[in-house]
Amino acid sequence: MPDTRSACVSKGSYHLGVTLSLLSASLISCQPAQEPPPLNLNLHQQWELQPGDTLSGYLVSGGLGDISIELGGNSVYAPFSGTAQPDQRRCLIFSTPDIPAYLFRLCGLSQPRYGSRNAGEPLGQANTLQLAALRKQPNGTWAIVEPSKHLVERVLTR
Amino acid sequence: MTTKAKEKPSNNVRYMLAGGSVLAALGLVAEPSAMIRRGSQQDQCQQVVSSSARLSREQLSRLLSIAERSPKAKVEAIVKPPYCQLANLPVRAGSEAQRHAYPLAFDPKTWVVILYEGNEYAGYAFSLRQ
């Protein structure tokens, strides 16, 4: 009788160990360091050419509404504390609760860093950055708008 | 047999220790606080307007029913004066964004930040405060 009880307890703790390990694995998968799934953004402007398209075998790196900046391989930074996610065209989408109703799209980054970023943390490097500001519309689409110089500067400087 | 029965409890302890260590290690690696978006310098209150202002569930649900780009007055009629104003900020060229913050009455560490441009309501976001 004492033997059986002891075996049950042992099995219980083994299960506990396994459960804890599984829990650990699921916690690791929640880490922001891992690449989050791509966002599918519906743009308000239905322009024919978008960054990421190919035309005559060449990559279209920017479209109408993108501000192109020659960074020469330098870094860009999170303008506020927020979250970086990839979009369906592999550009980086930055959102922050500090600026409701806006998203910022950064294309051309060589090593984009996704997940939670504090203000001033690097988001990646680029030779030529394509930056667009997107404003939320009542129908859930995102309109490309002209970003202020102030905002662009926040992305370019730490 | 007796020896075997004695070994088992030590195995229990081993499993428990292993599980506990994994969890403790995770606490160091996963850094749960990093999963929560923290406020930054730019979202600090610049000026407290109404220190008792809180947003009720009813006000929140009415706010969510308002479409972006509606008149600012329509939103203000629901939410009343804010707890505080965050620094004005040019997000879009040629337009200064005003940001009003309201702690939730039922969850005061969560704030609703509302952004206006001129007389237009642009949208809201939830911001976790420490």
Side-chain angles (χ1 to χ4, degrees), chain A residues 35-57:
Chain A
E35 188 176 317
L39 277 175
N40 269 303
L41 291 181
N42 286 322
L43 292 185
H44 175 70
Q45 293 98 338
Q46 300 288 316
W47 289 321
E48 208 169 278
L49 280 177
Q50 308 272 345
D53 287 348
T54 44
L55 198 63
S56 306

Side-chain angles (χ1 to χ4, degrees), chain B residues 45 53 81-86 99-103 111-114 129:
Chain B
C45 283
Y83 170 75
C84 73
Q85 287 192 359
L86 310 183
R99 298 174 297 162
H100 291 181
Y102 299 81
W111 287 18
V112 174
V113 179
I114 298 177
R129 302 284 155 154

Side-chain angles (χ1 to χ4, degrees), chain A residues 54-75:
Chain A
T54 44
L55 198 63
S56 306
Y58 293 104
L59 173 74
V60 176
S61 53
L64 204 54
D66 286 305
I67 309 278
S68 307
I69 296 168
E70 295 297 327
L71 277 180
N74 286 334
S75 291

